Amino acid sequence: MKVLYSWICEHLEGTLPAAEMAERLTAAGLNVELRTPQGDDEIWEVDVTTNRPDCLNHRGLAREAAAAGSGRLKPLQVTVSEKGPAVEQLARVTVEDPEGCPRYCARVIRRVKVGPSPQWLADRLAACGIRPINNVVDATNYVLLDLGHPLHAFDLARVEGRHIRVRRAGAGEKLVTLDGEERTLTVEDLVIADETKAVALAGIMGGANSEITDTTQDVLLESAYFAPTAIRRTRKRLGLDTEASRRFERGADRAMARIAVDAAAQLIVELAGGEVASGVLDSCRELPSPATISFTLEGLSAFAGVAIPEAFVREVLTALEIPFQVQGHSFSCQVPTHRVDLELPEDLYEEILRHWGYDRIPSVLPPLREGPGERRGSFPVTDRARDLAQGLGLAEAITYAFVPEEVELSFQASPLVARGELVRLENPLSARMAVMRRTLWSGLVEAAASNLRRGAERVQLFEVGRVFFAREGKVQEEERLAVVLSGEVGAWDRRRPVDFLDLKGLAEALAEGLGLPPCAFAPLADPFANGCGAVMQRDGEAVGVLGKLSEKAQALYDAPRPLWALELVLDVAAAPAPPKFQELSRFPAVVADLTVRHPLSLPYGTLVSTLWSLAPEILERVEPVVRYRGEQVGPDEVKTTLRLTYRHRERSLTQEEVNAAHFALMEALAAKLSVSFS
């Protein structure tokens, strides 16, 4: 909020220099963020918190400055000279929705002459960020900035029947507001209307059909108090943020409605001539009794941790215009109408302590429970998964557990996602956080795609976290590990694009490190690209999925490069096994290659695992050498060459022993898998 230093000083007796006043206001919680010199004056930008609408004006800031020791607040004196007929003979006000409008005050000023405002007034409004319009409208804006209460001026001749009605809008009712936009209203919108039509959006903006023009002679001046929720609801729906709505939706001063209408009426007469009709149309002449808050000096001192003198409490409450009575050490305070934020004794403590100075309150650390903490649940497994992933060169990401439903459903075909129903939030912060994730990919793929869109050439991310399912009316959780790769891998001089084997190698390394039982890999289509996906199974149950995401999934994230994703279930991980020692053999090994011709449909993993199941004790290691497809190999076949290492731990092997074991293994493998060795 922009204010003028000199304007604040007009409400004070005995002020301080601008720099010192700004410093004291900031220390009291009203941060003067920017000071811009303007001649002999200064324009300040003050950060006013949303719970302090009483400070969205010069008098409110002057009150705070006085409490902070920058002079004394002058009494507010408003007088208005009335002349001519009673206002009841000139206009009528009917409040049909007293809940939405608890108070509506109006005055009539006749025979005004609309024209430009004097330069001093135009300069003040411009300095505070408001465009001068004409002397009548500018007078209402001036009072708004001075006292903080929004007002609106109607051309009384354009108000049908000279009758103001405060009512709910009809469904689909139209109103062209002062910004030239036609608004379509609902039955929840509060409007100011005449006998035939709406003439203003209550508390937000006036209507073009009743605005002040150069031909206006008689003015109906509105000063009301509208319910904050009604204003906030319409403002949010229409996206119409104005100086008036900003104050009404935070809570205006119900008593100030009458004072402001007098001040504005008198200023209009001074600027535009005319006369103020006798009396005020006021829908609520008796205000509700003020709330009372009581506290004791002992309670205040215990809350602060330091003794606060009674004289200081009296001084602050008086400066803030909070009426109080003292009995012994007990204070009984009446909440003034301009302080909508005071409800509890702690609210008054804050008022006193922020002027006492938070830096004068001693700092004391809260007591902590002694003894080391204890980690329970799944932490051992998740910590091990993180260590393994980091050891494999992956970077950790942490994403939200709340994700968009559209993204979540794009992975519906994954067998790990289909383990339970979707969990929807009852009151999500936004549509992008509408459901709880059933796969870590929801956020991790978005993080990877975001990095790629910003120019990253390679992305290797992992996340360890929980996913959530609805099963049998309950929400259940699972620990997961997910990986997303994209871009290139390999040494600096041998770069190549990520492929399925890179992902499968990671999956096997992670599974081994986590103690997962041996898994079979089976092809999986959706949500992967055709021929580029697999599911890891143990006893027919899916414990992992991996592959290249389909183009549809990539398009959803706007990923500029292919994304390879892996997800493992951690709940099946075994406890870490103690390390085993095996003495190195002192005897030489014998190496023999074995070329197996087998169907293309036979996975390499099945071939090797079967070979190990048939292997003699002296077989130490099996390594892949080459896979060949081409001439002399059928279109549905492939030749896989394996390197077998034989070694006896207690003696040297003879060639005859190795040959016998090697041929026996070939015979058994051929019988088991129907493979050949030609």
Side-chain angles (χ1 to χ4, degrees):
M1 175 190 176
K2 288 184 176 181
V3 297
L4 282 169
Y5 165 69
S6 61
W7 198 343
I8 294 175
C9 292
E10 290 178 3
H11 287 279
L12 295 169
E13 292 177 355
T15 60
L16 292 177
E20 189 170 349
M21 183 187 292
E23 185 177 346
R24 293 196 180 198
L25 280 173
T26 300
L30 293 157
N31 187 19
V32 181
E33 295 180 326
L34 185 64
R35 296 169 52 203
T36 304
Q38 188 182 55
D40 297 333
D41 203 352
E42 287 187 5
I43 301 174
W44 291 357
E45 290 197 20
V46 184
D47 181 19
V48 180
T49 57
T50 55
N51 66 329
R52 294 300 306 275
D54 59 298
C55 291
L56 290 172
N57 59 87
H58 288 80
R59 183 166 180 82
L61 290 174
R63 184 188 299 115
E64 288 293 326
S70 298
R72 191 174 63 180
L73 188 68
K74 294 178 180 177
L76 181 60
Q77 296 179 341
V78 177
T79 58
V80 58
S81 300
E82 298 176 342
K83 189 177 181 181
V87 67
E88 289 82 1
Q89 299 177 15
L90 303 173
R92 286 187 296 150
V93 170
T94 304
V95 178
E96 300 175 10
D97 184 0
E99 184 177 347
C101 178
R103 189 175 196 185
Y104 194 98
C105 301
R107 275 191 177 274
V108 172
I109 304 101
R110 301 192 301 162
R111 302 188 185 96
V112 300
K113 185 176 182 181
V114 179
S117 294
Q119 194 60 45
W120 68 268
L121 177 56
D123 289 344
R124 281 198 164 188
L125 294 180
C128 295
I130 293 181
R131 177 176 60 88
I133 299 174
N134 59 52
N135 48 10
V136 174
V137 175
D138 292 349
T140 63
N141 287 332
Y142 184 87
V143 174
L144 165 72
L145 295 176
D146 189 36
L147 302 179
H149 198 85
L151 301 107
H152 185 71
F154 296 95
D155 185 340
L156 185 57
R158 303 173 72 181
V159 176
E160 189 75 21
R162 294 179 174 249
H163 183 193
I164 289 292
R165 298 168 58 204
V166 185
R167 61 168 173 81
R168 296 284 175 174
E173 188 173 359
K174 307 285 186 182
L175 173 65
V176 178
T177 47
L178 288 174
D179 57 0
E181 295 288 331
E182 183 179 76
R183 315 283 177 178
T184 302
L185 309 179
T186 71
V187 294
E188 292 187 334
D189 297 325
L190 191 66
V191 298
I192 310 301
D194 59 18
E195 292 191 343
T196 61
K197 61 186 181 301
V199 294
L201 264 178
I204 300 177
M205 185 176 284
N209 55 10
S210 62
E211 68 176 321
I212 301 296
T213 65
D214 293 344
T215 61
T216 298
Q217 293 185 346
D218 296 343
V219 174
L220 186 141
L221 187 60
E222 166 199 283
S223 179
Y225 172 82
F226 298 110
T229 52
I231 304 304
R232 186 180 304 118
R233 182 170 52 234
T234 299
R235 192 268 302 167
K236 288 184 67 175
R237 188 180 64 78
L238 297 177
L240 196 56
D241 189 15
T242 63
E243 293 285 346
S245 68
R246 203 169 300 140
R247 288 165 173 80
F248 278 127
E249 70 178 21
R250 285 166 172 77
D253 183 350
R254 191 178 305 202
M256 184 58 73
R258 172 58 194 277
I259 300 171
V261 76
D262 288 352
Q266 182 62 30
L267 185 58
I268 288 174
V269 171
E270 294 173 7
L271 298 176
E275 59 188 24
V276 180
S278 300
V280 179
L281 298 172
D282 190 346
S283 68
C284 182
R285 296 184 181 276
E286 292 188 10
L287 299 179
S289 301
T292 301
I293 303 175
S294 300
F295 68 93
T296 63
L297 278 178
E298 291 78 7
L300 170 62
S301 298
F303 182 83
V306 62
I308 307 295
E310 179 180 336
F312 180 80
V313 176
R314 289 174 176 268
E315 180 182 339
V316 171
L317 294 177
T318 302
L320 293 176
E321 296 187 311
I322 300 176
F324 64 91
Q325 293 181 340
V326 182
Q327 187 171 10
H329 293 296
S330 179
F331 283 74
S332 180
C333 303
Q334 288 186 356
V335 178
T337 54
H338 62 270
R339 293 303 302 268
V340 297
D341 60 316
L342 300 181
E343 296 178 351
L344 303 170
E346 287 78 5
D347 296 329
L348 290 175
Y349 294 167
E350 180 186 0
E351 293 304 301
I352 296 164
L353 294 179
R354 65 189 177 89
H355 288 288
W356 173 260
Y358 292 129
D359 55 337
R360 298 172 64 188
I361 298 175
S363 300
V364 179
L365 290 175
L368 298 176
R369 188 179 65 177
E370 296 181 353
E374 183 179 357
R375 306 192 75 182
R376 297 180 176 178
S378 57
F379 280 112
V381 173
T382 55
D383 282 356
R384 192 148 49 101
R386 286 190 178 89
D387 291 343
L388 284 168
Q390 290 168 352
L392 292 168
L394 304 175
E396 183 172 10
I398 300 175
T399 64
Y400 287 112
F402 305 144
V403 296
E405 183 169 353
E406 179 189 15
V407 169
E408 168 64 30
L409 293 178
S410 68
F411 299 118
Q412 179 75 27
S414 168
L416 299 189
V417 173
R419 290 186 167 208
E421 298 298 322
L422 201 59
V423 180
R424 292 182 173 82
L425 302 185
E426 290 187 357
N427 297 299
L429 294 175
S430 71
R432 293 188 58 78
M433 294 184 167
V435 300
M436 302 194 75
R437 65 187 179 189
R438 292 181 294 176
T439 168
L440 298 183
W441 289 346
S442 305
L444 196 60
V445 173
E446 170 60 32
S450 177
N451 278 276
L452 293 173
R453 290 196 299 271
R454 286 162 174 76
E457 295 183 352
R458 54 188 298 187
V459 174
Q460 298 181 348
L461 296 177
F462 82 94
E463 181 173 7
V464 175
R466 293 184 178 182
V467 297
F468 307 86
F469 299 97
R471 296 180 188 140
E472 299 176 353
K474 297 181 180 178
V475 177
Q476 298 183 3
E477 305 177 12
E478 282 186 3
E479 296 285 0
R480 296 277 179 87
L481 164 65
V483 175
V484 174
L485 305 179
S486 186
E488 296 181 333
V489 294
W492 65 272
D493 57 343
R494 286 178 292 175
R495 293 285 191 193
R496 58 174 179 77
V498 176
D499 60 25
F500 183 81
L501 296 181
D502 296 311
L503 200 62
K504 185 169 181 288
L506 277 175
E508 290 174 334
L510 291 167
E512 182 181 358
L514 290 168
L516 294 179
C519 298
F521 287 80
L524 180 65
D526 206 9
F528 301 116
N530 188 26
C532 297
V535 55
M536 299 170 62
Q537 294 177 326
R538 185 198 61 167
D539 299 332
E541 182 182 0
V543 296
V545 288
L546 66 159
K548 178 183 177 182
L549 294 183
S550 66
E551 292 185 359
K552 180 181 177 182
Q554 284 191 200
L556 188 62
Y557 288 96
D558 192 22
R561 294 189 180 188
L563 295 166
W564 296 82
L566 157 70
E567 187 165 32
L568 295 176
V569 177
L570 294 182
D571 294 345
V572 297
K580 293 182 179 179
F581 168 76
Q582 186 175 34
E583 185 180 3
L584 295 176
S585 175
R586 296 182 291 111
F587 299 98
V590 178
V591 176
D593 286 352
L594 175 64
T595 300
V596 184
R597 181 194 291 265
H598 59 86
L600 190 60
S601 59
L602 178 64
Y604 173 81
T606 303
L607 173 64
V608 173
S609 61
T610 304
L611 188 147
W612 273 111
S613 68
L614 304 172
E617 290 185 1
I618 59 174
L619 182 62
E620 183 181 77
R621 188 164 55 202
V622 177
E623 298 172 284
V625 177
V626 68
R627 283 166 63 89
Y628 172 75
R629 295 182 64 195
E631 294 183 1
Q632 300 182 353
V633 177
D636 297 329
E637 292 181 322
V638 62
K639 282 187 174 182
T640 300
T641 299
L642 304 173
R643 180 154 297 159
L644 279 59
T645 302
Y646 296 93
R647 191 197 306 266
H648 199 290
R649 308 196 62 79
E650 297 177 352
R651 60 180 174 81
S652 296
L653 290 171
T654 65
Q655 189 61 48
E656 289 76 14
E657 285 180 298
V658 172
N659 290 343
H662 194 71
F663 291 133
L665 179 59
M666 293 171 61
E667 185 177 349
L669 191 63
K672 187 81 172 181
L673 296 179
S674 298
V675 298
S676 63
F677 305 99
S678 57

